[in-house]
């Protein structure tokens, strides 16, 4: 299976290495034609303003939205989460409004406020996730169709899923944490070859009461 | 808490991007708008420092703060080599990265800053693998080859990047017992040398600086193996800075696609004029600073 990594700017090599380590063939995506033949897509960390610029310059916006509309999974980390948000607090226009959330950029402050911490993410397993937050965003509003996957101790939302779209404010690709990429690979396999009885694309991960 | 991972992690986020020298808030906004992944806040860009002469120091705090207040991308600032108090001040200002830079006049001709002592990450210049590994050992979380700043001439950047990557390739071909001698020759700790020999790359992100002034220059060093570029005088000393900045951003992403490079190289106006290396006396070369 091939999963793309948007390779305009940022830590796309780390996402590719993570995919490679779980037996998925990573494909660098820089132009619309690179989307052909991939079953899912990772949007890496980096600078969202830079990525926004490059997405527009090379007319990637529409092809990416069409790719998402096929139901193929898309996973955004940090800047990738900002790219996927329907609303960006304080001004910026959305880039790919695929996730019904409001994101705040640099929500914790500057680099000196970057931090690491353990956080439970039941959807990916019992062992907590090592969250690496680098000038990270947070999610300030969660739409009704969005599942919250993880929050900080103070309740701030840092990981979400809405249908085929997954986003985390932290960087599993920097922490040797493969479970999010495995989740995307599983969703991509399911998308490529829907199993029996899953013709109505239900979402086994949605927990009662988790939607706000 | 893995402090080093947070420091190197921000550098990972800058990869594939262009870090631009800016001297005021307006230039910072032009750089951000053009797609810079970070800016370097400076009182004078290197070509002006070269022309100005005298002692070049850390930029005034209020200038750095104005730039920090004007953009949402990371802001870096330069401290003199060995001047750990300038670094303390920059950390107190809250800059995102400190460049311990040979472009400023060194404050210490023997010792670099102990970068482990800081929470803010540092980028340091190098001309060869030995310098790179010594800086990493002192705590640098990101490396850039120095090039020759303020010249608009890419020749030193190319030579130094080839030196660093060539020396890594040479280590990869060595037997374990030969690495001890290699470490001695590189004047770098054995453990770091062995790690580089095993992984075939530096343990931190490696950018190129000093002399990049066209999209083709940026793509050249990316094809040679750089992970991103610093552009100083090349942007705001060109005829149309916004356009040149944007074209260099495009070229850094699409460095391997000659058709796109041809496309983005059109209609840019004149790049900075540049200086031939022979025209710079040995004692005025910046890259020799640092040890």
């Amino acid at each position: 299976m091939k999963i793309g990594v948007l390779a305009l700017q940022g830590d796309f090599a780390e996402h590719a290495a993570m995919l490679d380590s779980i037996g998925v063939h990573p494909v660098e995506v820089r132009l619309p034609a690179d989307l052909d033949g991939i079953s899912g897509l990772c949007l890496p960390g980096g600078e969202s303003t830079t990525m926004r610029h490059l997405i527009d310059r090379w007319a990637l916006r529409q092809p990416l939205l069409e790719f998402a509309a096929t139901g193929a999974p898309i996973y955004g980390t940090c800047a990738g989460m900002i790219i996927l948000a329907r609303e960006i607090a304080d001004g910026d226009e959305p880039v790919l409004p695929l996730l019904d959330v409001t994101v705040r950029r640099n929500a914790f402050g500057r680099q000196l406020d970057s931090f690491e911490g353990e956080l439970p993410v039941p959807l990916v397993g019992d062992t907590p996730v090592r969250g690496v937050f680098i000038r990270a965003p947070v999610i300030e509003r969660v739409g009704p169709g969005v599942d919250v996957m993880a929050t900080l101790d103070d309740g701030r939302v840092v990981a979400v899923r809405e249908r085929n779209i997954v986003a985390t404010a932290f960087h599993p690709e920097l922490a040797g944490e493969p479970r999010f990429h495995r989740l995307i690979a599983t969703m991509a396999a399911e998308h490529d070859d829907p199993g029996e009885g899953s013709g109505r694309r239900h979402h086994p991960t949605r927990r009662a009461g988790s939607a706000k | 808490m893995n402090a080093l991972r947070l420091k190197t992690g921000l550098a990972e986020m800058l990869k594939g991007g262009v870090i631009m020298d800016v001297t005021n808030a307006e230039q910072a906004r032009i750089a951000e708008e053009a797609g810079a992944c970070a800016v370097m806040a400076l009182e004078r860009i290197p070509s002006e420092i070269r022309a100005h002469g005298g002692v070049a120091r850390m930029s005034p705090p209020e200038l750095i703060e104005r730039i920090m207040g004007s953009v949402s991308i990371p802001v870096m600032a330069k401290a003199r080599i060995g001047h750990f108090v300038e670094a303390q001040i920059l950390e107190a200002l809250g800059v995102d990265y400190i460049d311990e830079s040979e472009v400023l006049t060194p404050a210490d001709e023997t010792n670099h800053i102990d970068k482990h002592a800081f929470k803010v990450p540092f980028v340091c210049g190098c001309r060869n693998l030995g310098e790179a590994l010594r800086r990493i050992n002192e705590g640098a979380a990101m490396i850039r080859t120095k090039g020759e700043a303020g010249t608009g001439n890419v020749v030193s950047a190319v030579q130094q990047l080839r030196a660093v990557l060539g020396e890594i390739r040479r280590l990869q071909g060595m037997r374990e017992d030969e690495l001890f001698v290699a470490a001695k020759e590189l004047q770098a700790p054995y453990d770091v040398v062995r790690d580089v020999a095993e992984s075939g790359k530096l343990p931190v992100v490696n950018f190129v600086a000093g002399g990049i002034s066209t999209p083709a220059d940026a793509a050249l060093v990316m094809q040679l193996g750089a992970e991103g570029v610093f552009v100083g005088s090349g942007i705001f000393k060109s005829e149309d800075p916004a356009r040149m900045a944007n074209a260099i951003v495009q070229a850094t992403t699409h460095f391997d696609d000659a058709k796109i490079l041809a496309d983005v190289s059109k209609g840019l106006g004149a790049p900075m004029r540049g200086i031939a290396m022979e025209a710079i006396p040995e004692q005025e070369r910046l890259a020799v600073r640092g040890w």
Side-chain angles (χ1 to χ4, degrees):
Chain A
M1 189 202 325
K2 292 179 182 170
I3 290 185
V5 182
L6 192 68
L8 299 174
Q9 192 271 324
D11 74 334
F12 52 85
E14 281 60 38
H15 279 272
M18 185 58 82
L19 290 169
D20 196 48
S21 78
I22 60 168
V24 172
H25 181 68
V27 175
E28 291 187 356
V29 174
R30 290 188 175 83
L31 294 170
D34 300 330
L35 293 167
D36 295 344
I38 59 172
S39 307
L41 181 67
C42 295
L43 308 182
E47 274 310 312
S48 61
T49 54
T50 304
M51 288 184 211
R52 165 199 300 275
H53 213 94
L54 289 155
I55 285 170
D56 283 340
R57 176 64 176 82
W58 301 102
L60 276 158
R61 201 182 281 235
Q62 200 52 37
L64 285 170
L65 291 173
E66 284 163 17
F67 180 75
T70 67
I74 300 183
Y75 174 38
T77 60
C78 196
M81 180 166 103
I82 296 164
I83 298 289
L84 292 168
R86 185 178 292 179
E87 251 183 300
I88 301 169
D90 289 337
D92 292 338
E93 288 298 307
V95 187
L96 305 173
L98 293 166
L99 197 54
D100 185 13
V101 298
T102 303
V103 157
R104 180 171 296 277
R105 296 178 60 206
N106 302 333
F108 300 93
R110 308 196 68 97
Q111 171 63 11
L112 286 169
D113 308 297
S114 292
F115 65 99
E116 277 190 42
E118 305 248 302
L119 62 162
V121 188
L123 180 59
V124 298
D126 293 338
T127 315
V129 166
R130 187 94 201 140
V132 180
F133 294 82
I134 297 173
R135 286 173 51 95
V138 292
I139 291 172
E140 293 190 333
R141 180 194 61 85
V142 179
V146 178
D147 294 338
V148 173
M149 289 170 66
T151 60
L152 296 174
D153 290 344
D154 61 11
R156 284 192 282 182
V157 176
V158 290
V160 290
R161 174 176 173 178
E162 183 179 14
R163 289 192 294 278
N164 56 324
I165 311 293
V166 177
T168 61
F170 50 88
H171 295 280
E173 77 281 7
L174 292 186
E177 166 59 76
R179 288 176 288 177
F180 292 86
H181 292 79
R182 279 207 197 104
L183 170 68
I184 297 304
T186 306
M187 289 164 69
E190 164 81 359
H191 169 68
D192 279 356
D193 183 16
E196 226 173 280
S198 64
R200 254 184 74 238
R201 305 198 61 78
H202 70 113
H203 307 290
T205 54
R206 177 160 304 167
R207 285 160 292 130
S210 68
K212 284 183 188 162
Chain B
M1 177 78 81
N2 183 337
L4 187 61
R5 184 154 66 195
L6 292 175
K7 291 177 171 182
T8 56
L10 179 55
E12 304 285 354
M13 298 309 136
L14 301 172
K15 284 197 301 194
V18 183
I19 300 168
M20 302 183 191
D21 281 358
V22 298
T23 57
N24 56 49
E26 191 203 341
Q27 288 185 354
R29 280 190 293 268
I30 291 171
E32 182 175 48
E33 186 51 40
C37 67
V39 292
M40 178 75 69
L42 278 170
E43 189 178 18
R44 278 188 276 273
I45 54 178
S47 64
E48 292 165 351
I49 290 174
R50 212 172 257 293
H52 188 264
V55 175
R57 310 181 179 89
M58 175 186 82
S59 298
E62 59 273 27
L63 173 98
I64 295 167
E65 280 179 336
R66 270 200 303 276
I67 290 171
M68 286 167 60
S70 67
V71 291
S72 65
I73 56 179
V75 175
M76 301 184 167
K78 289 184 193 288
R80 282 180 265 176
I81 289 173
H83 206 315
F84 52 85
V85 173
E86 283 188 351
Q88 289 165 4
I89 292 170
L90 293 174
E91 183 175 59
L93 291 174
V95 301
D96 296 297
Y97 240 93
I98 295 176
D99 183 3
E100 185 182 18
S101 178
E102 71 286 354
V103 169
L104 304 183
T105 311
D108 189 324
E109 296 196 332
T110 311
N111 306 292
H112 281 249
I113 297 171
D114 171 11
K115 294 164 276 285
H116 294 292
F118 289 79
K119 192 176 175 207
V120 64
F122 280 75
V123 55
C124 285
C126 74
R127 286 171 298 166
N128 52 52
L129 183 60
E131 266 188 53
L133 297 183
R134 289 194 291 278
R135 298 296 86 77
I136 291 165
N137 194 46
E138 294 157 3
M142 179 178 183
I143 287 292
R144 55 172 177 78
T145 47
K146 295 172 180 173
E148 187 58 37
T151 61
N153 188 339
V154 79
V155 65
S156 299
V158 168
Q159 184 260 324
Q160 294 162 13
L161 179 62
R162 280 190 184 274
V164 170
L165 299 178
E167 287 168 79
I168 292 174
R169 284 191 292 270
R170 197 172 67 87
L171 288 184
Q172 284 181 285
M174 284 186 182
R175 286 163 48 98
E176 186 97 357
D177 53 6
E178 293 164 343
L179 291 174
F180 291 101
V181 178
K184 191 181 78 180
E185 287 168 358
L186 289 166
Q187 299 175 50
Y190 170 73
D191 291 346
V192 185
V193 171
R194 193 194 49 205
D195 286 350
V196 170
E198 268 173 23
S199 68
K201 60 193 287 291
L202 289 179
V204 303
V205 170
N206 181 24
F207 271 46
V208 163
I212 311 278
S213 46
T214 65
D217 287 349
L220 172 65
V221 296
M222 291 298 288
Q223 285 196 26
L224 284 172
E227 295 184 292
V229 297
F230 284 84
V231 185
S233 321
I235 289 170
F236 289 100
K237 288 290 168 190
S238 71
E239 189 180 335
D240 187 342
R243 203 169 256 201
M244 182 63 82
N246 184 245
I248 291 176
V249 169
Q250 307 300 337
T252 303
T253 293
H254 297 283
F255 64 88
D256 231 356
D257 187 328
K259 269 181 80 173
I260 288 181
L261 294 174
D263 185 24
V264 304
S265 298
K266 288 175 191 164
L268 298 180
M272 76 177 282
R273 185 158 181 277
I275 313 172
M277 293 308 291
E278 304 79 67
I280 307 171
E282 201 66 43
Q283 68 273 15
E284 288 179 22
R285 294 194 185 175
L286 304 176
V288 300
R289 296 168 169 177
W291 16 89

